[in-house]
Amino acid sequence: MGEDRMEKDPFKRMFGSLEELVDQIRGVLECPVTIEDVNHRLLAYSTHDDQTDTARIATIISRKVPEKVINRLWKERVIPQLMQSGEPLRIPKIKEIGLGNRVAISIRNHNEVLGYIWAVEEESALTENKLKLLKLAAQSARTELLKLNAQKKKRVEGYQDFFWELLTGHFQDHKKIKERFEDLNIKPPSPFAVLAFQFKEEITPKIEQKIIYLITTSQKINITFYAAMENEFIILAAPPEPALSEKIFIEFIQFFIDQMKTRFNIRHISGATGTIYDRYEKVESSYQEALKVLRLKEQFTEEIQHVYSYQQLGIFRYLEVILEKKRKEPYEHPAIEKLIKYDTEHRTNLLATLEAFIDHDSNVSDTAKKLHVHMNTLNYRLKRITDIGKVDLKNTNTKLSLYLELKIRRMEKKSPHL
């Protein structure tokens, strides 16, 4: 096609598939082309010569854009620009990730991004006329992607029904659950865990799209199902390799919280993972464990702020059980009663000092910094605590019992109906 010749619209016709459309775009623009969905999964690609770059080859082989490429394009503000505009965007070569010169454009339905077209600029840059043709190609691709999205929505709705049945313990037979996976043509995850994220506000469709984008493009864990409910987002996932421990899930939770803030300015997210299991009837157990971690993190913001898994909870796992027993058999630790009485009468804070001291593993320096007092002041308070409460702060059993009593007391105040 001549450099300055502009056809009316070479894409204004029916295409039998995205493959036909991508070949037409390749013929019109005279360069290799790919079409991706909004989460950077490869939908169709054209032919290319032997000199094409490694990023394109890796995308075609794995059927999705490599995570390192996506992360770099975010860092270079490429993807945010594509999300905000429907105009073609020229991307210079990024040698470190194997990306050659590109021109990209978002495929849009009004303000919603459905996907992207990427054109590789090989020997020469696309002319202004070809950039206009690329815009026409994006309009044509819109129709095809809307069809695909409608089909995908039906599948996802069917998957989510099954996911909620697993989360609520509807199935209790491992074999039957496995058969259901096979009926839906889904590879059963093994081992697996349920991850739960709690947002400050209700998850809107717009926020859900951003969440799905992030979990789909991260490629750190294998996600089988996901679902949103009010301010909660739940994932059923498997590690990339069966031998990997829960560490991979914890790293994903930290990554998710950080990137939701960095990329989308969505803050105040709490995340947790339940235990890893290989029996599918344990999905509900893993889910409830993740919820318990979130619930306790909300109650004990300082003590377990860096806890992300049920296993990491340690003794906090048993606080609810101990609290329930205490309600049936009321008991108050004598030392705590004495300190409460003394604090009330003398307007002191010896009980808070005791809790901080035990929280910091009896480290005087760390406790003093936490309380913003001089170490001499702290030592004086500790002597008063010992004298008034009649406790031995060098005795491990004594400190452990006080620690549990103090945490249960705080839990009872925050959850009076637990």
PDB file of all heavy atoms in Angstrom, residues 388-408:
ATOM      1  N   ILE A 388       3.030  -3.870  93.318  1.00  0.00           N
ATOM      2  CA  ILE A 388       1.573  -3.751  93.430  1.00  0.00           C
ATOM      3  C   ILE A 388       0.881  -5.045  92.991  1.00  0.00           C
ATOM      4  O   ILE A 388      -0.035  -5.542  93.642  1.00  0.00           O
ATOM      5  CB  ILE A 388       1.052  -2.556  92.605  1.00  0.00           C
ATOM      6  CG1 ILE A 388       1.583  -1.246  93.198  1.00  0.00           C
ATOM      7  CG2 ILE A 388      -0.481  -2.537  92.556  1.00  0.00           C
ATOM      8  CD1 ILE A 388       1.446  -0.056  92.269  1.00  0.00           C
ATOM      9  N   GLY A 389       1.331  -5.585  91.867  1.00  0.00           N
ATOM     10  CA  GLY A 389       0.679  -6.774  91.318  1.00  0.00           C
ATOM     11  C   GLY A 389       1.160  -8.077  91.904  1.00  0.00           C
ATOM     12  O   GLY A 389       0.563  -9.133  91.671  1.00  0.00           O
ATOM     13  N   LYS A 390       2.275  -8.004  92.659  1.00  0.00           N
ATOM     14  CA  LYS A 390       2.865  -9.217  93.247  1.00  0.00           C
ATOM     15  C   LYS A 390       3.181 -10.259  92.154  1.00  0.00           C
ATOM     16  O   LYS A 390       2.805 -11.425  92.223  1.00  0.00           O
ATOM     17  CB  LYS A 390       1.934  -9.856  94.288  1.00  0.00           C
ATOM     18  CG  LYS A 390       1.437  -8.911  95.360  1.00  0.00           C
ATOM     19  CD  LYS A 390       2.582  -8.350  96.174  1.00  0.00           C
ATOM     20  CE  LYS A 390       2.046  -7.405  97.265  1.00  0.00           C
ATOM     21  NZ  LYS A 390       3.157  -6.668  97.935  1.00  0.00           N
ATOM     22  N   VAL A 391       3.875  -9.780  91.090  1.00  0.00           N
ATOM     23  CA  VAL A 391       4.215 -10.676  89.977  1.00  0.00           C
ATOM     24  C   VAL A 391       5.728 -10.717  89.785  1.00  0.00           C
ATOM     25  O   VAL A 391       6.431  -9.742  90.079  1.00  0.00           O
ATOM     26  CB  VAL A 391       3.542 -10.228  88.656  1.00  0.00           C
ATOM     27  CG1 VAL A 391       2.039 -10.383  88.742  1.00  0.00           C
ATOM     28  CG2 VAL A 391       3.900  -8.803  88.276  1.00  0.00           C
ATOM     29  N   ASP A 392       6.186 -11.845  89.291  1.00  0.00           N
ATOM     30  CA  ASP A 392       7.607 -12.033  88.974  1.00  0.00           C
ATOM     31  C   ASP A 392       7.769 -11.900  87.462  1.00  0.00           C
ATOM     32  O   ASP A 392       7.426 -12.806  86.703  1.00  0.00           O
ATOM     33  CB  ASP A 392       8.069 -13.406  89.458  1.00  0.00           C
ATOM     34  CG  ASP A 392       9.537 -13.658  89.149  1.00  0.00           C
ATOM     35  OD1 ASP A 392      10.207 -12.731  88.644  1.00  0.00           O
ATOM     36  OD2 ASP A 392      10.001 -14.786  89.394  1.00  0.00           O
ATOM     37  N   LEU A 393       8.282 -10.757  87.007  1.00  0.00           N
ATOM     38  CA  LEU A 393       8.402 -10.491  85.577  1.00  0.00           C
ATOM     39  C   LEU A 393       9.572 -11.215  84.923  1.00  0.00           C
ATOM     40  O   LEU A 393       9.830 -11.044  83.740  1.00  0.00           O
ATOM     41  CB  LEU A 393       8.519  -8.977  85.325  1.00  0.00           C
ATOM     42  CG  LEU A 393       7.254  -8.164  85.665  1.00  0.00           C
ATOM     43  CD1 LEU A 393       7.479  -6.687  85.382  1.00  0.00           C
ATOM     44  CD2 LEU A 393       6.062  -8.684  84.868  1.00  0.00           C
ATOM     45  N   LYS A 394      10.266 -12.044  85.721  1.00  0.00           N
ATOM     46  CA  LYS A 394      11.326 -12.872  85.147  1.00  0.00           C
ATOM     47  C   LYS A 394      10.840 -14.298  84.915  1.00  0.00           C
ATOM     48  O   LYS A 394      11.566 -15.122  84.349  1.00  0.00           O
ATOM     49  CB  LYS A 394      12.548 -12.891  86.081  1.00  0.00           C
ATOM     50  CG  LYS A 394      13.236 -11.536  86.187  1.00  0.00           C
ATOM     51  CD  LYS A 394      14.449 -11.604  87.107  1.00  0.00           C
ATOM     52  CE  LYS A 394      15.119 -10.243  87.212  1.00  0.00           C
ATOM     53  NZ  LYS A 394      16.299 -10.280  88.119  1.00  0.00           N
ATOM     54  N   ASN A 395       9.611 -14.567  85.339  1.00  0.00           N
ATOM     55  CA  ASN A 395       9.036 -15.910  85.205  1.00  0.00           C
ATOM     56  C   ASN A 395       8.261 -16.002  83.885  1.00  0.00           C
ATOM     57  O   ASN A 395       7.303 -15.255  83.660  1.00  0.00           O
ATOM     58  CB  ASN A 395       8.104 -16.182  86.382  1.00  0.00           C
ATOM     59  CG  ASN A 395       7.567 -17.598  86.369  1.00  0.00           C
ATOM     60  OD1 ASN A 395       6.743 -17.949  85.528  1.00  0.00           O
ATOM     61  ND2 ASN A 395       8.024 -18.407  87.316  1.00  0.00           N
ATOM     62  N   THR A 396       8.670 -16.923  83.012  1.00  0.00           N
ATOM     63  CA  THR A 396       8.060 -17.050  81.687  1.00  0.00           C
ATOM     64  C   THR A 396       6.576 -17.404  81.777  1.00  0.00           C
ATOM     65  O   THR A 396       5.748 -16.838  81.055  1.00  0.00           O
ATOM     66  CB  THR A 396       8.781 -18.135  80.856  1.00  0.00           C
ATOM     67  OG1 THR A 396      10.159 -17.799  80.737  1.00  0.00           O
ATOM     68  CG2 THR A 396       8.176 -18.240  79.462  1.00  0.00           C
ATOM     69  N   ASN A 397       6.227 -18.338  82.651  1.00  0.00           N
ATOM     70  CA  ASN A 397       4.835 -18.758  82.795  1.00  0.00           C
ATOM     71  C   ASN A 397       3.952 -17.594  83.251  1.00  0.00           C
ATOM     72  O   ASN A 397       2.833 -17.401  82.769  1.00  0.00           O
ATOM     73  CB  ASN A 397       4.732 -19.922  83.778  1.00  0.00           C
ATOM     74  CG  ASN A 397       3.317 -20.448  83.890  1.00  0.00           C
ATOM     75  OD1 ASN A 397       2.708 -20.831  82.889  1.00  0.00           O
ATOM     76  ND2 ASN A 397       2.783 -20.456  85.107  1.00  0.00           N
ATOM     77  N   THR A 398       4.468 -16.801  84.180  1.00  0.00           N
ATOM     78  CA  THR A 398       3.725 -15.640  84.673  1.00  0.00           C
ATOM     79  C   THR A 398       3.475 -14.645  83.544  1.00  0.00           C
ATOM     80  O   THR A 398       2.357 -14.147  83.370  1.00  0.00           O
ATOM     81  CB  THR A 398       4.504 -14.944  85.811  1.00  0.00           C
ATOM     82  OG1 THR A 398       4.661 -15.858  86.888  1.00  0.00           O
ATOM     83  CG2 THR A 398       3.784 -13.697  86.286  1.00  0.00           C
ATOM     84  N   LYS A 399       4.520 -14.360  82.793  1.00  0.00           N
ATOM     85  CA  LYS A 399       4.388 -13.387  81.699  1.00  0.00           C
ATOM     86  C   LYS A 399       3.443 -13.891  80.610  1.00  0.00           C
ATOM     87  O   LYS A 399       2.661 -13.118  80.039  1.00  0.00           O
ATOM     88  CB  LYS A 399       5.763 -13.061  81.111  1.00  0.00           C
ATOM     89  CG  LYS A 399       6.605 -12.181  82.004  1.00  0.00           C
ATOM     90  CD  LYS A 399       7.848 -11.656  81.314  1.00  0.00           C
ATOM     91  CE  LYS A 399       8.846 -12.768  81.056  1.00  0.00           C
ATOM     92  NZ  LYS A 399      10.103 -12.246  80.487  1.00  0.00           N
ATOM     93  N   LEU A 400       3.513 -15.200  80.324  1.00  0.00           N
ATOM     94  CA  LEU A 400       2.634 -15.764  79.293  1.00  0.00           C
ATOM     95  C   LEU A 400       1.172 -15.673  79.718  1.00  0.00           C
ATOM     96  O   LEU A 400       0.304 -15.296  78.919  1.00  0.00           O
ATOM     97  CB  LEU A 400       3.017 -17.214  79.003  1.00  0.00           C
ATOM     98  CG  LEU A 400       2.144 -17.944  77.965  1.00  0.00           C
ATOM     99  CD1 LEU A 400       2.180 -17.218  76.626  1.00  0.00           C
ATOM    100  CD2 LEU A 400       2.598 -19.386  77.801  1.00  0.00           C
ATOM    101  N   SER A 401       0.898 -16.000  80.979  1.00  0.00           N
ATOM    102  CA  SER A 401      -0.493 -15.945  81.455  1.00  0.00           C
ATOM    103  C   SER A 401      -1.005 -14.511  81.452  1.00  0.00           C
ATOM    104  O   SER A 401      -2.151 -14.247  81.081  1.00  0.00           O
ATOM    105  CB  SER A 401      -0.605 -16.555  82.849  1.00  0.00           C
ATOM    106  OG  SER A 401       0.123 -15.804  83.804  1.00  0.00           O
ATOM    107  N   LEU A 402      -0.148 -13.561  81.840  1.00  0.00           N
ATOM    108  CA  LEU A 402      -0.543 -12.148  81.804  1.00  0.00           C
ATOM    109  C   LEU A 402      -0.779 -11.687  80.368  1.00  0.00           C
ATOM    110  O   LEU A 402      -1.730 -10.942  80.091  1.00  0.00           O
ATOM    111  CB  LEU A 402       0.550 -11.287  82.460  1.00  0.00           C
ATOM    112  CG  LEU A 402       0.597 -11.297  83.992  1.00  0.00           C
ATOM    113  CD1 LEU A 402       1.891 -10.670  84.494  1.00  0.00           C
ATOM    114  CD2 LEU A 402      -0.612 -10.565  84.575  1.00  0.00           C
ATOM    115  N   TYR A 403       0.094 -12.129  79.470  1.00  0.00           N
ATOM    116  CA  TYR A 403      -0.037 -11.761  78.049  1.00  0.00           C
ATOM    117  C   TYR A 403      -1.395 -12.210  77.505  1.00  0.00           C
ATOM    118  O   TYR A 403      -2.127 -11.425  76.878  1.00  0.00           O
ATOM    119  CB  TYR A 403       1.099 -12.421  77.261  1.00  0.00           C
ATOM    120  CG  TYR A 403       1.116 -12.080  75.783  1.00  0.00           C
ATOM    121  CD1 TYR A 403       1.646 -10.879  75.338  1.00  0.00           C
ATOM    122  CD2 TYR A 403       0.631 -12.973  74.837  1.00  0.00           C
ATOM    123  CE1 TYR A 403       1.691 -10.564  73.992  1.00  0.00           C
ATOM    124  CE2 TYR A 403       0.657 -12.678  73.487  1.00  0.00           C
ATOM    125  CZ  TYR A 403       1.190 -11.474  73.065  1.00  0.00           C
ATOM    126  OH  TYR A 403       1.214 -11.171  71.737  1.00  0.00           O
ATOM    127  N   LEU A 404      -1.757 -13.467  77.759  1.00  0.00           N
ATOM    128  CA  LEU A 404      -3.033 -13.990  77.280  1.00  0.00           C
ATOM    129  C   LEU A 404      -4.205 -13.239  77.903  1.00  0.00           C
ATOM    130  O   LEU A 404      -5.166 -12.879  77.217  1.00  0.00           O
ATOM    131  CB  LEU A 404      -3.139 -15.477  77.592  1.00  0.00           C
ATOM    132  CG  LEU A 404      -2.285 -16.421  76.733  1.00  0.00           C
ATOM    133  CD1 LEU A 404      -2.346 -17.833  77.292  1.00  0.00           C
ATOM    134  CD2 LEU A 404      -2.753 -16.406  75.287  1.00  0.00           C
ATOM    135  N   GLU A 405      -4.137 -13.004  79.207  1.00  0.00           N
ATOM    136  CA  GLU A 405      -5.225 -12.298  79.892  1.00  0.00           C
ATOM    137  C   GLU A 405      -5.411 -10.891  79.320  1.00  0.00           C
ATOM    138  O   GLU A 405      -6.543 -10.429  79.113  1.00  0.00           O
ATOM    139  CB  GLU A 405      -4.940 -12.213  81.392  1.00  0.00           C
ATOM    140  CG  GLU A 405      -5.012 -13.529  82.131  1.00  0.00           C
ATOM    141  CD  GLU A 405      -6.447 -14.046  82.278  1.00  0.00           C
ATOM    142  OE1 GLU A 405      -7.399 -13.271  82.068  1.00  0.00           O
ATOM    143  OE2 GLU A 405      -6.600 -15.244  82.597  1.00  0.00           O
ATOM    144  N   LEU A 406      -4.317 -10.205  79.055  1.00  0.00           N
ATOM    145  CA  LEU A 406      -4.397  -8.840  78.526  1.00  0.00           C
ATOM    146  C   LEU A 406      -4.978  -8.823  77.115  1.00  0.00           C
ATOM    147  O   LEU A 406      -5.785  -7.945  76.775  1.00  0.00           O
ATOM    148  CB  LEU A 406      -3.004  -8.196  78.537  1.00  0.00           C
ATOM    149  CG  LEU A 406      -2.462  -7.835  79.936  1.00  0.00           C
ATOM    150  CD1 LEU A 406      -0.972  -7.524  79.875  1.00  0.00           C
ATOM    151  CD2 LEU A 406      -3.235  -6.660  80.516  1.00  0.00           C
ATOM    152  N   LYS A 407      -4.584  -9.780  76.277  1.00  0.00           N
ATOM    153  CA  LYS A 407      -5.104  -9.820  74.907  1.00  0.00           C
ATOM    154  C   LYS A 407      -6.586 -10.201  74.893  1.00  0.00           C
ATOM    155  O   LYS A 407      -7.380  -9.642  74.120  1.00  0.00           O
ATOM    156  CB  LYS A 407      -4.306 -10.815  74.054  1.00  0.00           C
ATOM    157  CG  LYS A 407      -2.828 -10.476  73.914  1.00  0.00           C
ATOM    158  CD  LYS A 407      -2.596  -9.033  73.539  1.00  0.00           C
ATOM    159  CE  LYS A 407      -1.115  -8.658  73.601  1.00  0.00           C
ATOM    160  NZ  LYS A 407      -0.892  -7.211  73.436  1.00  0.00           N
ATOM    161  N   ILE A 408      -6.958 -11.148  75.732  1.00  0.00           N
ATOM    162  CA  ILE A 408      -8.362 -11.568  75.797  1.00  0.00           C
ATOM    163  C   ILE A 408      -9.225 -10.418  76.313  1.00  0.00           C
ATOM    164  O   ILE A 408     -10.332 -10.183  75.834  1.00  0.00           O
ATOM    165  CB  ILE A 408      -8.505 -12.814  76.704  1.00  0.00           C
ATOM    166  CG1 ILE A 408      -7.872 -14.020  76.015  1.00  0.00           C
ATOM    167  CG2 ILE A 408      -9.971 -13.096  77.007  1.00  0.00           C
ATOM    168  CD1 ILE A 408      -7.664 -15.200  76.926  1.00  0.00           C
TER     169      ILE A 408
END
